[in-house]
Amino acid sequence: SVHWESATPFVLTRHPKRHRDGRPKLNARGEQVDGPEEQVRREWANRQALNPDLPPLIHIERLEVCRLPGAQRVIPWSTFVRSRPGGKPPPVDFGCGFRLTFARPVSGPIALGYGAHYGLGQFRPVTSKPQ
């Protein structure tokens, strides 16, 4: 699919950067340095470096809640378990979701962020164009 949505929360692997007065440090895109969007872009760029056949990530949209396909139910990202019991906790106990758009279709699975090998940061393909 060209469009993918978070099925489980993306959990940060780095602390978002702030100025001493608490304001977020911003990059050239106007996103917070080491913020969620920048970390998704960085992880996808790392995957592309390992596999040059992967297409560019052209758009990231933040999703406020998880919407289960075919259901009216919405689940806040904060209700998901975001760390492994007895394991090293994530740098920031914060989860969020995204809709990713690629330049051309991508074959899955896609999992990014802290705990991606344990079920966090999973994305599911979106078969129709998002509204």
Side-chain angles (χ1 to χ4, degrees):
S1 180
V2 170
H3 304 283
W4 289 76
E5 284 186 354
S6 293
T8 60
F10 173 83
V11 178
L12 305 179
T13 59
R14 300 170 58 91
H15 289 276
K17 304 304 181 260
R18 295 188 171 276
H19 292 281
R20 288 179 187 240
D21 64 6
R23 291 177 299 120
K25 288 186 180 180
L26 302 179
N27 61 21
R29 292 177 185 266
E31 298 168 346
Q32 187 172 11
V33 174
D34 277 333
E37 289 81 0
E38 188 175 81
Q39 288 190 36
V40 168
R41 289 181 203 286
R42 181 184 300 116
E43 284 214 33
W44 189 253
N46 290 341
R47 304 284 166 89
Q48 283 184 295
L50 295 171
N51 181 358
D53 292 334
L54 290 174
L57 175 58
I58 58 173
H59 184 70
I60 299 175
E61 177 186 347
R62 182 95 57 115
L63 300 176
E64 296 304 316
V65 294
C66 178
R67 297 189 185 278
L68 300 176
Q72 298 298 322
R73 186 171 171 208
V74 296
I75 304 170
W77 299 114
S78 62
T79 61
F80 284 83
V81 175
R82 296 174 306 277
S83 62
R84 294 179 56 216
K88 183 177 178 187
V92 181
D93 187 15
F94 168 78
C96 55
F98 297 102
R99 179 176 294 120
L100 307 179
T101 303
F102 297 94
R104 62 181 189 278
V106 176
S107 295
I110 297 176
L112 304 171
Y114 168 89
H117 292 84
Y118 299 100
L120 292 175
Q122 291 183 17
F123 289 82
R124 64 176 164 255
V126 178
T127 54
S128 61
K129 185 172 170 127
Q131 301 295 329

